[in-house]
Amino acid sequence: MPRPMKRRKVCCLPKNNRFGPVDSLVDTKDYINMTVDEYETIRLIDLEGFKQEDCAKQMKVARTTVQSIYMEARKKLAESLVNGKVLFIEGGEYQLCDGLENECGPGCNRHRGGRHFKDNEDKG
């Protein structure tokens, strides 16, 4: 019997969950579905500048799990950009944090008012 999948901690849902060519109609064969936990790895690693190990701590999963989630997310982003497919962000095995500082790490958007982690580092 396989181990049950561990829910990944996610600090916030995306403000927009659909991206793609402006004039595109959504065809069920021509869209990409990115899960919320895949989105969170892109946000933490590419936007916030986290290392995979720090991202894993934030999401409360193993670094190897983050690595595979991140690689899949980047593949989906590339397919959407290169092939002009609509990207939807929805679903996945995740749990939203409650926004309390003692549970969340420095990458949480909920208790920082949406500022970027690097802004906080620069102010010291």
Side-chain angles (χ1 to χ4, degrees):
M1 174 179 251
R3 219 170 80 192
M5 185 176 282
K6 187 176 183 180
R7 291 183 176 255
R8 291 86 187 235
K9 188 174 78 68
V10 170
C11 289
C12 59
L13 295 174
K15 291 179 182 176
N16 297 301
N17 70 341
R18 180 180 180 222
F19 302 90
V22 177
D23 60 349
S24 67
L25 299 174
V26 179
D27 181 359
T28 56
K29 294 179 183 176
D30 279 336
Y31 77 94
I32 307 294
N33 186 57
M34 177 182 284
T35 62
V36 173
D37 50 322
E38 290 169 339
Y39 161 82
E40 184 75 345
T41 63
I42 294 291
R43 185 183 75 80
L44 290 173
I45 295 170
D46 291 337
L47 181 64
E48 300 289 344
F50 278 36
K51 293 181 180 169
Q52 287 183 8
E53 186 175 324
D54 297 327
C55 179
K57 287 177 187 173
Q58 179 81 14
M59 294 179 72
K60 302 199 183 303
V61 295
R63 187 202 54 80
T64 53
T65 301
V66 163
Q67 184 178 27
S68 65
I69 294 169
Y70 180 64
M71 287 175 56
E72 186 63 25
R74 292 201 49 173
K75 182 179 176 183
K76 290 177 180 182
L77 275 176
E79 186 175 353
S80 176
L81 288 171
V82 172
N83 297 323
K85 294 183 177 184
V86 174
L87 176 72
F88 284 104
I89 303 172
E90 60 188 6
E93 294 292 328
Y94 69 93
Q95 177 180 354
L96 283 174
C97 75
D98 61 10
L100 299 175
E101 290 189 44
N102 58 350
E103 181 182 319
C104 293
C108 182
N109 269 354
R110 295 184 127 188
H111 70 264
R112 291 183 304 144
R115 293 190 323 255
H116 296 302
F117 179 64
K118 289 185 178 191
D119 292 344
N120 291 341
E121 276 185 337
D122 293 340
K123 292 177 184 172

